[in-house]
Amino acid sequence: MPFILTYNKKVRQALEAPANLSIDVLVILGLAGLLVAIASLLGHATAPRPQGVEIHLQFRYLPLYAFFSVSRAVIAYILSLIFTLLYGTITAHSRLAEKFMIPLLDILQSLPVLTFLPGLVILFVRLFPTSWLGLELACVIMIFTAQAWNMTFSYHTSVRAIPDALREAAAIQHLTVWQQFRFLELPASMIGLVWNSMMSMAGGWFVITVEEAFTLNNVDYRLPGLGSYMNQAQLDWNWPAMIAGVLAMITVIVVLDQLIWRPIVVWSERFKLEDVSSAEVSHSWFLQFLRRSRFLKWAGSLMRRRSDKAEIAAHVQIEPMTEQSLKKKQIQRGIVSWIVVIALIALAGWGAFTLARLLAQLPIHDTPDTNGWLAVLWALVLSFLRVFAAVTIGALWTLPAGVLIGLSPKWSNRLQPIVQIVAAFPAPMIYIMVIILLGKMHIAFTYGCVALMLLGTQWYILFNVIAGAMAIPSDLREAARIYHLSVWKRWTEVYIPAVFPYLVTGLITAAGGAWNATIVAELVSIPGRQDHIAFGLGYLIDIAVANGQFPLETACAVTMGLTVVIVNRIFWKRIYRLAESRYSLNV
Amino acid sequence: MTATENGSPISEALDVSMVYTDAETGNRLLVLDKVSIAVKTGEVLAILGPSGSGKSTLLRILIGLLQPTSGSVLVHGKPLVGIHPGVSLVFQNFALFPWLTVDDNIKLALNGLNLDAEQAKERVMRCVDVVGLEGFEKAYPKELSGGMKQRVGIARALARAPELLCMDEPCSALDVFTAESLRSEIYRMWSGGQSKLPFQPKSVVIITHHIEEAVFLADRIVVMGTRPGRIRTIIQNDVAHPREYQSPPFQRMVQRLHDVITKEQLPDVPEPTTPPAPETGMPTPAPIPAVNLGHIFGLMEILRDHGSEMDVFKLDMLTDYDFGHTIAVVKAGELLDFLDTPKNQVILTDTGRKFLDGDINVRKKMFHDQLLTLPTFRFVLRLLEEAHGHRLSKEIVEEELCVRLTTEDVEKVFTTIVGWGRFGEIFGYDAASEELYLDDAKTPEESGATAT
């Protein structure tokens, strides 16, 4: 969705006025600054870590902490991108590998990411006890698991959707695997990748802020960054710092959108697989700004000249195929596919075996050492009820609000970008504030925790419903008016059925987010005060990790994962199919 | 291009058959049935046929993009491995890479041809010139019209200097005017003496469903039949060059092809001399053309406005549909006994006239009666009568039909049967529960079958 930020004339004029030279200077300075920053980051990561982490609340530390948080997100994103392209290419070229790798991806996507968080942190700290590297690695990997799966799915879907005719043209021109990737698969998947990358980055903020503020059993695993800044501010009850932290987070999201995402979206318009130029063209002031830099133009042409020679291999003579060369190719392909599949099966097998062993160790009834299976199942019921409550309460207000906003072009234009930012904003940052509020209203935490879960996930429902309401064709609305449908009838017969597919998408995303949130919302520790506990799967995972009870931790994680996967398949997939067939407006 | 008979054919298919197996339903569809064809060196070959005759599949088998289920493909007498080394293909829907400019699209086609940078640049320029797109080198496909896109497709195909140039319905996706002009340019490219072409392909294969296009461009015309695809006949096109649409030899050849096709599509069945024996056991369903009723009735109205009798090709020109669809509608009308098709003509029968004259109730009653003469509908009716509660799920009916109609797309047939059956009030269909049901309000006498 386009992110429209209106800026006043003065700023615009200021940007257009300066000569090209100053633009070049700015660009070069920017690039140099980036290099220095990366170097210093590497230096920091290998520096020794003090036992107690000190998070400074003075405002001058905010840019530094923001930089740290952003770097972690970016590094994880690059890893996700590489993973996407590798995984996607393998599934695109091997039917056999595809059969295994896509269901695996489906399961990975359904698992709540934060179930891995405590275990991963402990593991990496053990590996690198003295330097920051362990924590940073754990953080980056956690963010990766939040970002990678939907990008991979999008890439896979786009590649499968490539028209047969283009594939045939590529085959007749004898394009190699690399050339097919560069000229066919990567361009075809570009638009989906860009949008999914934006979604991934937004999802990544949630994980980053949780990870940066992570403490367990009074051991401080925090990393300097925006998440820990907010955490410290709330602990000290420092209102100016809390507001500064929230503003810093919002600024980071907006800046990234304007300086990185918007230009990429505009640049990627050329990859639309359409026959005619669309009337709407999006704009990015930053992209236009960059385009006027001669330095970048020169660098770009240099790269293009080199890649030209390499990519279009007119100078190579392709030998006509013989029976042997064809067989050799097929055997090579077969070997690679089988290696990948066997590796996956071995990994899955080893994983299943370890899992089974751990699960078998858990007793049925509670013992003094650990909770048992009965407790896990009861925790499942409670968490499930909380997730259900969060999604339902969220839908109750976001559905009418979303429809009202979406039906009015004036309001949707103004509010959509804001809702996007709010959705990207990581809710755990302000958990402590909310808890104190809940305490003041005397709401028991076991119910109040639902509010924490709501905070992060209701926005997904909202902006999907807004998009759905914006898409209601005007002739449906006119028909409703001509036939004098009452307000009630208008809502039940027109608006709600029309936004139903979008609502379902929003609900699915919100439910997934709510499960994730249980891990951070069901146990909130404030040093110096009593822990806030809401008994559930998330809580059990947290204490299991704190006490090193691996069987319990595994049992809870598996239970949560299984529940999400089963609910997805039995409930959400059916509702989605119903939404697509009966309620879709593409007749 | 002069046809020379020396040497083995550039490309040859021997007894090629192609069977498609639907992954979901397991249906096997016979697309090509023991087709043998040879593309001689130095000729322009047209493969002419309606949709469903497997001509695109045959072309791709000759090129090597598809492997036939049985049979073999030879290139200069030797078995084909992988893709034919000297082939290029012009696609019906252009198949240009949308993110590459015209220049880059053509340059990409030079992959693997052992040219240095200078030669590559020069060749691209020559090809752009030949198709008349100078000045558009840096344009992206979405900025070009359909005709220009196809020109890029042709330039791209020629850039590889192929010995066998294939064109898969090159003018089908273009409007009438652009198609005409492109056809003339293709014609000028290799017939009529001095050609501007830098690289002359040795042979050309064109797939088309347009009779005049085939007569205009080809030296030899292969007429294919449908379901399953096989060769009906091969005709040598001896109309002299330069060819003109209005010249008598041209028109004679077109008429000859018309006759071949209608004999194939609308065979004249002699009237049965004895009445058919009354049916015992289950009626055997026969294929129903997948057309909706509005088209059939509309065609009948058009026919009546033109004196109740017309040549099928003139009738096709009046409609906006492609010829295959017109034929399907006419067949459906014939099935319902509203139309008759002796030779090339389509005639409105007395039943058809009475149908058009009646009001909606008369029409429904007549349609109802006509449907009951069709074994397919009697079959479905029997299934419903024998079913529990007179209801049957869509899946079961489709399965029963699928077993008995092996070469049809069952989903389409089912949708057509539901449409016709609902209009004739033979049965109803509940879309929510996906069930066919008998309207039990009708008494057995009203919905009983009386074979005529």
Side-chain angles (χ1 to χ4, degrees):
Chain A
M1 276 158 279
F3 186 93
I4 308 162
L5 191 69
T6 50
Y7 50 93
N8 62 25
K9 264 212 180 134
K10 261 179 130 178
V11 174
R12 199 181 345 149
Q13 281 171 351
L15 287 171
E16 290 177 25
N20 276 344
L21 184 60
S22 25
I23 296 184
D24 280 336
V25 167
L26 278 171
V27 167
I28 294 181
L29 278 180
L31 285 175
L34 208 63
L35 285 172
V36 166
I38 294 178
S40 69
L41 194 71
L42 287 172
H44 155 84
T46 46
R49 181 167 69 93
Q51 260 328 94
V53 178
E54 228 213 296
I55 308 286
H56 305 272
L57 286 186
Q58 294 91 329
F59 291 171
R60 59 192 166 88
Y61 279 92
L62 264 180
L64 181 68
Y65 290 162
F67 172 68
F68 282 148
S69 296
V70 171
S71 334
R72 290 179 196 118
V74 167
I75 295 175
Y77 173 75
I78 295 177
L79 283 178
S80 303
L81 194 58
I82 297 177
F83 175 84
T84 299
L85 296 178
L86 275 177
Y87 204 88
T89 308
I90 296 180
T91 57
H93 287 275
S94 163
R95 276 278 132 122
L96 179 66
E98 183 185 354
K99 279 206 186 68
F100 286 96
M101 291 167 90
I102 297 301
L104 176 62
L105 206 56
D106 201 6
I107 295 179
L108 283 172
Q109 199 183 38
S110 314
L111 290 179
V113 150
L114 289 180
T115 47
F116 307 132
L117 183 128
L120 209 71
V121 169
I122 306 285
L123 173 70
F124 272 92
V125 165
R126 285 223 191 104
L127 286 177
F128 299 96
T130 48
S131 77
W132 286 105
L133 199 57
L135 277 183
E136 297 280 3
L137 274 180
C139 189
V140 164
I141 293 182
M142 274 306 300
I143 306 171
F144 166 83
T145 55
Q147 291 178 334
W149 318 132
N150 66 303
M151 283 166 60
T152 314
F153 254 124
S154 158
Y155 184 80
H156 172 80
T157 314
S158 307
V159 167
R160 291 266 258 142
I162 292 179
D164 284 341
L166 284 184
R167 285 239 178 252
E168 288 171 355
I172 289 181
Q173 292 166 7
H174 296 286
L175 298 186
T176 63
V177 173
W178 166 254
Q179 284 172 324
Q180 281 184 53
F181 171 75
R182 167 103 160 39
F183 290 112
L184 194 55
E185 288 155 8
L186 188 56
S189 57
M190 191 61 82
I191 299 223
L193 264 186
V194 168
W195 286 113
N196 274 280
S197 298
M198 290 169 73
M199 268 173 49
S200 289
M201 283 294 277
W205 294 124
F206 187 87
V207 171
I208 295 180
T209 49
V210 168
E211 178 107 28
E212 285 174 356
F214 186 57
T215 60
L216 202 53
N217 240 9
N218 278 319
V219 180
D220 195 345
Y221 293 116
R222 292 183 302 172
L223 283 167
L226 284 180
S228 47
Y229 182 90
M230 272 307 281
N231 177 277
Q232 188 68 45
Q234 288 171 103
L235 291 179
D236 292 351
W237 204 241
N238 183 337
W239 273 100
M242 284 195 256
I243 296 179
V246 168
L247 284 178
M249 187 74 232
I250 296 180
T251 312
V252 163
I253 294 177
V254 169
V255 162
L256 278 183
D257 178 88
Q258 289 291 293
L259 294 192
I260 298 192
W261 292 125
R262 237 26 236 329
I264 292 185
V265 165
V266 171
W267 170 80
S268 70
E269 295 255 305
R270 74 163 77 160
F271 295 107
K272 272 208 185 120
L273 238 96
E274 62 187 8
D275 283 329
V276 193
S277 302
S278 56
E280 287 181 38
V281 180
S282 29
H283 294 285
S284 160
W285 59 268
F286 191 62
L287 187 62
Q288 287 173 332
F289 176 79
L290 285 179
R291 279 195 175 135
R292 293 171 59 210
S293 156
R294 276 178 310 179
F295 172 71
L296 285 180
K297 256 195 238 170
W298 168 79
S301 67
L302 198 71
M303 279 174 38
R304 217 172 302 136
R305 235 178 291 147
R306 284 202 52 222
S307 71
D308 240 4
K309 282 217 182 82
E311 303 326 334
I312 298 177
H315 56 281
V316 166
Q317 173 76 45
I318 291 193
E319 296 299 325
M321 272 213 198
T322 58
E323 283 281 351
Q324 295 107 309
S325 67
L326 186 69
K327 277 223 172 68
K328 200 170 81 165
K329 236 192 176 179
Q330 284 175 336
I331 292 179
Q332 276 175 345
R333 264 222 186 134
I335 290 182
V336 172
S337 309
W338 278 108
I339 290 181
V340 168
V341 168
I342 290 179
L344 279 177
I345 294 184
L347 207 69
W350 173 83
F353 180 65
T354 330
L355 220 66
R357 216 169 38 137
L358 278 174
L359 290 179
Q361 289 176 9
L362 194 71
I364 306 261
H365 295 277
D366 291 355
T367 67
D369 291 327
T370 174
N371 297 79
W373 279 106
L374 287 181
V376 170
L377 290 175
W378 177 236
L380 170 67
V381 169
L382 290 177
S383 293
F384 188 90
L385 288 174
R386 288 195 192 102
V387 167
F388 182 78
V391 171
T392 314
I393 298 177
L396 272 176
W397 79 266
T398 54
L399 180 55
V403 170
L404 284 174
I405 296 176
L407 288 179
S408 147
K410 183 175 73 164
W411 283 111
S412 53
N413 266 332
R414 283 193 209 161
L415 290 180
Q416 220 185 19
I418 298 183
V419 175
Q420 258 190 308
I421 299 182
V422 176
F425 187 91
M429 265 194 165
I430 54 174
Y431 270 2
I432 297 189
M433 277 198 266
V434 175
I435 288 178
I436 301 202
L437 233 126
L438 289 171
K440 295 237 167 83
M441 300 198 303
H442 298 296
I443 296 183
F445 189 66
T446 183
Y447 305 115
C449 140
V450 172
L452 294 181
M453 287 160 57
L454 250 187
L455 264 184
T457 61
Q458 60 196 348
W459 313 111
Y460 293 119
I461 312 180
L462 184 61
F463 80 58
N464 270 291
V465 172
I466 293 182
M470 283 168 75
I472 299 181
S474 44
D475 30 4
L476 273 189
R477 297 167 63 179
E478 285 168 9
R481 282 172 53 205
I482 291 179
Y483 296 122
H484 298 294
L485 289 186
S486 67
V487 175
W488 176 250
K489 272 257 161 80
R490 246 182 281 162
W491 278 81
T492 52
E493 303 280 353
V494 183
Y495 299 154
I496 296 185
V499 303
F500 189 64
Y502 294 84
L503 175 66
V504 171
T505 310
L507 288 176
I508 295 178
T509 322
W515 276 110
N516 249 330
T518 59
I519 300 181
V520 269
E522 283 178 351
L523 170 60
V524 184
S525 309
I526 305 181
R529 308 195 203 191
Q530 208 184 18
D531 285 351
H532 293 267
I533 296 178
F535 190 79
L537 276 185
Y539 163 73
L540 278 184
I541 291 181
D542 291 336
I543 61 164
V545 172
N547 300 329
Q549 297 158 334
F550 289 124
L552 179 61
E553 184 200 347
T554 319
C556 292
V558 166
T559 311
M560 189 185 285
L562 262 179
T563 311
V564 174
V565 170
I566 292 178
V567 169
N568 258 359
R569 288 195 183 270
I570 296 187
F571 184 64
W572 288 124
K573 291 236 160 106
R574 288 233 180 110
I575 297 249
Y576 194 71
R577 229 177 298 156
L578 175 72
E580 273 195 318
S581 58
R582 278 274 290 275
Y583 292 94
S584 164
L585 284 169
N586 311 330
V587 199
Chain B
M1 186 164 293
T2 48
T4 46
E5 295 277 343
N6 51 348
S8 42
I10 274 192
S11 185
E12 191 176 357
L14 294 173
D15 267 350
V16 157
S17 294
M18 191 68 177
V19 177
Y20 276 137
T21 313
D22 190 332
E24 285 179 17
T25 60
N27 278 357
R28 290 160 58 88
L29 189 63
L30 185 62
V31 177
L32 288 174
D33 189 16
K34 294 218 181 46
V35 170
S36 294
I37 189 170
V39 181
K40 304 202 195 99
T41 312
E43 71 166 349
V44 179
L45 182 73
I47 302 183
L48 179 67
S51 51
S53 51
K55 39 193 207 295
S56 288
T57 312
L58 179 59
L59 184 68
R60 280 161 174 77
I61 290 178
L62 282 174
I63 292 179
L65 286 168
L66 287 177
Q67 301 299 320
T69 319
S70 68
S72 58
V73 180
L74 301 178
V75 171
H76 292 296
K78 297 207 265 294
L80 173 65
V81 179
I83 296 187
H84 187 129
V87 80
S88 261
L89 179 55
V90 178
F91 294 83
Q92 183 177 1
N93 286 305
F94 327 127
L96 302 179
F97 290 80
W99 37 79
L100 295 180
T101 58
V102 167
D103 247 3
D104 285 335
N105 260 294
I106 301 178
K107 204 151 55 139
L108 191 58
L110 297 176
N111 193 42
L113 290 185
N114 200 11
L115 302 171
D116 64 39
E118 269 311 302
Q119 291 172 315
K121 209 160 86 156
E122 220 236 294
R123 190 178 281 206
V124 171
M125 241 170 44
R126 294 279 303 270
C127 291
V128 168
D129 278 355
V130 159
V131 296
L133 281 178
E134 304 98 318
F136 288 94
E137 290 90 343
K138 295 294 174 222
Y140 282 96
K142 65 164 73 120
E143 305 172 57
L144 305 175
S145 70
M148 290 159 82
K149 278 194 268 224
Q150 193 59 297
R151 291 213 178 89
V152 179
I154 294 177
R156 177 174 76 169
L158 290 174
R160 279 192 82 81
E163 63 167 2
L164 177 65
L165 177 66
C166 296
M167 305 182 121
D168 186 358
E169 306 219 26
C171 303
S172 296
L174 306 171
D175 65 85
V176 169
F177 298 122
T178 319
E180 242 347 285
S181 75
L182 194 64
R183 230 171 263 138
S184 308
E185 286 185 42
I186 295 177
Y187 181 67
R188 272 199 295 275
M189 267 185 211
W190 53 70
S191 36
Q194 300 303 330
S195 79
K196 295 198 302 176
L197 275 189
F199 329 100
Q200 190 91 320
K202 294 214 192 82
S203 303
V204 180
V205 177
I206 304 185
I207 307 274
T208 179
H209 62 252
H210 195 230
I211 296 181
E212 278 161 350
E213 181 171 293
V215 177
F216 192 52
L217 295 173
D219 298 328
R220 229 169 26 123
I221 303 176
V222 173
V223 182
M224 294 199 61
T226 74
R227 287 201 195 99
R230 67 180 114 74
I231 297 189
R232 293 293 297 175
T233 182
I234 304 185
I235 295 184
Q236 195 70 30
N237 184 11
D238 38 27
V239 176
H241 294 278
R243 291 179 179 152
E244 283 164 26
Y245 286 101
Q246 300 308 320
S247 74
F250 193 99
Q251 288 299 316
R252 273 200 298 273
M253 178 60 73
V254 171
Q255 188 58 44
R256 190 168 154 204
L257 284 167
H258 275 187
D259 289 336
V260 168
I261 290 176
T262 42
K263 216 166 55 181
E264 148 80 9
Q265 292 294 297
L266 300 170
D268 296 336
V269 178
E271 294 294 326
T273 45
T274 54
E279 259 166 18
T280 53
M282 270 308 218
T284 319
I288 303 258
V291 294
N292 76 41
L293 296 176
H295 291 182
I296 304 177
F297 303 155
L299 194 100
M300 287 161 64
E301 297 271 5
I302 293 180
L303 204 52
R304 180 169 66 171
D305 291 342
H306 285 81
S308 303
E309 186 175 323
M310 241 180 130
D311 178 274
V312 69
F313 292 97
K314 294 222 174 55
L315 187 59
D316 175 53
M317 302 234 285
L318 282 178
T319 69
D320 245 343
Y321 309 134
D322 72 79
F323 187 64
H325 186 76
T326 308
I327 291 280
V329 174
V330 168
K331 267 181 153 152
E334 199 181 10
L335 206 59
L336 293 165
D337 206 20
F338 293 149
L339 298 174
D340 212 358
T341 58
K343 298 249 176 328
N344 276 11
Q345 303 291 98
V346 182
I347 302 184
L348 194 61
T349 60
D350 286 335
T351 323
R353 215 167 314 204
K354 254 193 277 192
F355 182 88
L356 289 179
D357 285 336
D359 66 4
I360 185 70
N361 290 320
V362 168
R363 286 191 179 193
K364 284 218 170 201
K365 179 94 188 19
M366 288 187 72
F367 196 78
H368 177 101
D369 293 337
Q370 294 301 113
L371 279 189
L372 290 176
T373 65
L374 298 179
T376 309
F377 284 89
R378 286 208 296 275
F379 172 73
V380 176
L381 211 54
R382 277 288 284 279
L383 283 181
L384 280 173
E385 283 164 3
E386 290 171 8
H388 177 71
H390 294 312
R391 295 185 83 98
L392 273 180
S393 77
K394 167 177 165 188
E395 277 177 58
I396 297 183
V397 177
E398 278 184 347
E399 241 180 74
E400 295 278 352
L401 288 172
C402 176
V403 166
R404 292 167 174 80
L405 304 169
T406 45
T407 58
E408 293 297 320
D409 179 350
V410 171
E411 284 241 23
K412 257 209 254 175
V413 172
F414 182 81
T415 313
T416 313
I417 290 179
V418 165
W420 292 20
R422 273 168 160 170
F423 183 77
E425 292 178 32
I426 292 205
F427 43 67
Y429 179 65
D430 184 347
S433 60
E434 291 193 345
E435 281 181 334
L436 275 177
Y437 61 92
L438 264 189
D439 194 352
D440 287 323
K442 280 216 162 62
T443 62
E445 297 93 78
E446 280 179 61
S447 54
T450 40
T452 41

